[in-house]
Amino acid sequence: SYNPASYFLDRPMIAVMGEDLVSTVYAIDHGNYVTILWYGRPYGMYPERNLMLAQLYDNGDIVFSYADWVSPDYWGHDAVAGVSKGDGSTYVTASPSDNAAFLFTYGLTTVEITEVSYTVSSIPYFFETVTPPVVSGDDAYGEYTLPFDFWFYGNTYNTVYLGTNGYITFTEGHTEYSG
């Protein structure tokens, strides 16, 4: 059986609300940041609505904002919210709720080795209007080219994969989900 938490730990990714969602994903280019918005519903639950958004900034900062946090999902899995380096042990999570927002501030520390981390803080809730979708459906993803290089755990990415299950991944898209 699929486990959102283990998938989160094993891949470099941003899990905004990692669970079984049926949604439409939008990307809005603002120049120095991109807003990614999910509109839909958790599998097996109605009605469709604004769920959450993420903003990726050209300096590596990340913002999450939630209109509706739903956990556990239809299958009983707890949703995941946070950032993961993908090495199985380096990650930072948040504890979302309805109408809440979080700022993940990118930090780079150089001593003898370079250490990259995120700190998370609560910020005021907000939402945005949408543009044409990147992807829509159940267990689907779409590729999106960022208008800038995005720093994530010491690596630079200019392409992200936006998943209808609430994930932003960097090396490949994700579609599988089973209860």
Side-chain angles (χ1 to χ4, degrees):
S1 160
Y2 172 73
N3 181 342
S6 66
Y7 182 79
F8 169 72
L9 293 174
D10 294 340
R11 291 161 180 82
M13 72 161 50
I14 300 167
V16 186
M17 184 167 31
E19 65 174 88
D20 195 5
L21 301 173
V22 179
S23 65
T24 301
V25 185
Y26 301 89
I28 307 157
D29 180 354
H30 296 281
N32 71 325
Y33 70 98
V34 171
T35 297
I36 301 161
L37 183 140
W38 284 262
Y39 177 86
R41 60 183 173 80
Y43 178 85
M45 300 177 194
Y46 291 91
E48 291 192 349
R49 60 218 181 249
N50 287 327
L51 294 171
M52 70 273 191
L53 65 76
Q55 293 179 325
L56 308 181
Y57 286 81
D58 62 1
N59 67 355
D61 288 354
I62 305 165
V63 169
F64 292 176
S65 188
Y66 296 91
D68 190 8
W69 173 256
V70 181
S71 184
D73 68 9
Y74 178 84
W75 308 106
H77 296 119
D78 289 328
V80 178
V83 296
S84 172
K85 184 175 181 179
D87 63 3
S89 62
T90 307
Y91 62 93
V92 177
T93 58
S95 298
S97 62
D98 294 355
N99 301 314
F102 300 89
L103 169 63
F104 289 77
T105 305
Y106 185 76
L108 177 64
T109 305
T110 302
V111 185
E112 287 184 27
I113 60 169
T114 300
E115 182 176 317
V116 179
S117 64
Y118 284 89
T119 57
V120 63
S121 55
S122 188
I123 61 174
Y125 164 77
F126 63 94
F127 228 77
E128 286 192 29
T129 57
V130 297
T131 60
V134 173
V135 64
S136 185
D138 186 19
D139 302 332
Y141 71 89
E143 184 176 314
Y144 180 75
T145 302
L146 297 169
F148 49 81
D149 288 338
F150 179 72
W151 287 90
F152 188 73
Y153 278 111
N155 294 307
T156 305
Y157 300 92
N158 58 19
T159 299
V160 293
Y161 301 88
L162 308 177
T164 58
N165 288 333
Y167 295 110
I168 302 168
T169 55
F170 296 97
T171 58
E172 64 186 356
H174 170 63
T175 60
E176 74 180 270
Y177 192 96
S178 62

